[in-house]
Amino acid sequence: QVQLVESGGGLVQAGESLRLSCVASGRTFSSYSMGWFRQAPGKEREFVAAISWSADNIYYADSVKGRFTISRDNAKNTVYLQMNSLKPEDTAVYYCAATRNAATWAWPNKNEYRYWGQGTQVTVSS
């Protein structure tokens, strides 16, 4: 069992930055690949980024590549999402999620993730 708690969301202006954190409970955090997803009002939950347990593999959605950086600290049971050059279209609730699937091709599929956090709101004003 893994419980995930996100934090770090807020209201920022376009071009500014935010860093999201996701703290996991449980001793098996390091065995999970971790992903970030987001969901805007009226839209499907979409993949943002994911990272393997060792951080050797990282995968980004095209929409955030070059602006967002995912990282993890297994000693702190925490995964991060550094978001730079934010745009109004990045406005959404951001969720972290955990999967045992180490295949990068599977990471964009939300159905591959077993555990989810409650989400944190990110709002970017123009």
Side-chain angles (χ1 to χ4, degrees):
Q1 184 80 10
V2 176
Q3 292 185 326
L4 305 173
V5 179
E6 303 98 334
S7 62
L11 171 64
V12 296
Q13 293 188 333
E16 294 184 339
S17 299
L18 278 175
R19 188 175 83 154
L20 306 183
S21 299
C22 172
V23 179
S25 64
R27 295 175 291 178
T28 60
F29 172 74
S30 61
S31 65
Y32 286 86
S33 299
M34 299 296 297
W36 285 97
F37 287 75
R38 65 187 182 186
Q39 188 167 18
K43 294 188 176 181
E44 292 286 319
R45 190 169 299 189
E46 66 172 2
F47 172 77
V48 175
I51 187 169
S52 63
W53 69 271
S54 63
D56 285 347
N57 290 313
I58 291 175
Y59 188 32
Y60 294 101
D62 288 344
S63 58
V64 306
K65 202 174 295 183
R67 299 188 298 123
F68 290 12
T69 302
I70 189 172
S71 61
R72 67 189 295 164
D73 185 338
N74 288 339
K76 296 182 179 180
N77 279 12
T78 303
V79 61
Y80 304 97
L81 186 68
Q82 177 67 43
M83 306 186 295
N84 298 330
S85 302
L86 282 161
K87 305 175 181 180
E89 51 264 43
D90 294 318
T91 295
V93 177
Y94 283 71
Y95 300 89
C96 70
T99 177
R100 284 201 181 271
N101 195 333
T104 56
W105 58 264
W107 288 348
N109 183 353
K110 59 183 180 291
N111 295 320
E112 291 289 338
Y113 294 79
R114 183 173 182 180
Y115 301 107
W116 291 83
Q118 83 291 347
T120 185
Q121 176 71 47
V122 172
T123 303
V124 185
S125 63
S126 58

